[in-house]
Amino acid sequence: MGRAGALLVAGDVITDVVARHRGPLAPGTDTTASVRRVPGGAGANVACWAARRGGADVRLLGRVGADEAEWHERALTACGVRPALVVDEEAPTGTVICLVDEGARAERTFLTDSGASLRLEPADWSDALLDGVARLHLSGYLLFSESGREFVTVAMKAARARDVPVSLDPASAGFITRLGTERCLALVGGVDVLLPSRDEACLLTGLSDVAEATARLSRSVPLVVTKQGARGALLARSGAVYAHVPAVRAVPRDTTGAGDAFTGAFLAALLEGAEPEEAAARGCAAGARAVEHVGGRPPARL
């Protein structure tokens, strides 16, 4: 599945405010927490993890507010990504408050203000963006605005015309519920690789068994890779699961961006010519590294 060229990621660039607390929140009063402001966004995170291995040409198209455009550009460049950021003069950069319970599972809850990130539109696309590109990856968050859906349609059409394979991560079970599963499935039907989480795969199919859900999705998408966190990943083609890749052990501090880390490492491995099972193994390793530090991106220069 490998082919020479760059990876172009199109998607969200977000400012994450990560608040790590231990135990339940105390309504109506104070809860002690460690609070950090870090660059994030599913699309941007994927690009940073893909560029992590070094040598890969990884590009990112996203939309940010004028308030933080320079900060985000510097952060992406420091991770080895070539950013192409559209500056929105009307909307601020999207912000997500990540509430992370410091308990054993380091689970997180997101409060999301999408801001400029979901305002990417067809006018932001140019077919020249595909020059030298071997794979196009779309963040599923683009599906959750009208302009984003129009953008996805234009980008996928352009990729098809150049025979560039397209991957997509559905991104959010909560947003899928709001959009509607049938509508979401119709929008992702033309991709080559679908990378849902366990919850997203089950939600999209209405099935409670993740293996059955993964198999079902692969009837309409050539390759489905379902991310299961500590349970590893499932790979399916033509209506059947054909591989289970085990997770890599980790002591979680913050699970924010673990799925993005998997996706970025997986796509980078495909670009290098790895088979999907090997690419998924690299994805699991990246996911393990991601949960062991705070924030959704690898540390710069790691």
Side-chain angles (χ1 to χ4, degrees), residues 141-249:
Y141 281 105
L142 294 172
L143 302 178
F144 306 125
S145 70
E146 189 61 38
S147 66
R149 289 188 288 273
E150 293 172 356
F151 174 91
V152 166
T153 299
V154 169
M156 287 183 62
K157 182 178 179 181
R160 284 279 170 266
R162 295 201 186 192
D163 196 29
V164 173
V166 180
S167 56
L168 184 141
D169 184 330
S172 168
F175 281 153
I176 290 171
T177 299
R178 286 164 53 185
L179 179 63
T181 55
E182 290 187 7
R183 193 176 184 189
C184 188
L185 284 170
L187 289 165
V188 305
V191 304
D192 300 278
V193 183
L194 186 68
L195 295 127
S197 69
R198 175 190 178 96
D199 290 345
E200 292 157 5
C202 291
L203 179 60
L204 285 169
T205 59
L207 299 172
S208 59
D209 183 273
V210 64
E212 292 179 4
T214 302
R216 174 77 61 84
L217 288 170
S218 73
R219 295 176 186 173
S220 55
V221 176
L223 176 64
V224 177
V225 183
T226 298
K227 298 169 286 188
Q228 301 186 97
R231 296 183 181 180
L234 297 175
L235 287 76
R237 293 186 188 275
S238 304
V241 172
Y242 73 91
H244 171 228
V245 177
V248 174
R249 279 195 180 184

Side-chain angles (χ1 to χ4, degrees), residues 5-9 46 50 57-59 133-137 264 267-268 271:
L7 169 66
L8 172 63
V9 179
V46 166
D57 181 358
V58 181
R59 310 169 189 179
V133 168
R135 304 194 71 90
L136 170 64
H137 178 72
L267 295 174
L271 277 179

Side-chain angles (χ1 to χ4, degrees), residues 2 4-5 19 42 45 79 109-110 117 125 128 130 144 154 170 187 217 227 230 269 282:
N45 293 345
C79 283
T109 300
F110 296 144
S117 68
W125 176 263
L130 291 174
F144 306 125
V154 169
L187 289 165
L217 288 170
K227 298 169 286 188
R282 295 191 198 177

Side-chain angles (χ1 to χ4, degrees), residues 64-86:
V64 296
D67 54 335
E68 295 182 327
E70 292 184 3
W71 181 60
H72 278 289
E73 184 163 355
R74 287 196 304 269
L76 289 162
T77 301
C79 283
V81 176
R82 295 170 57 187
L85 300 182
V86 179

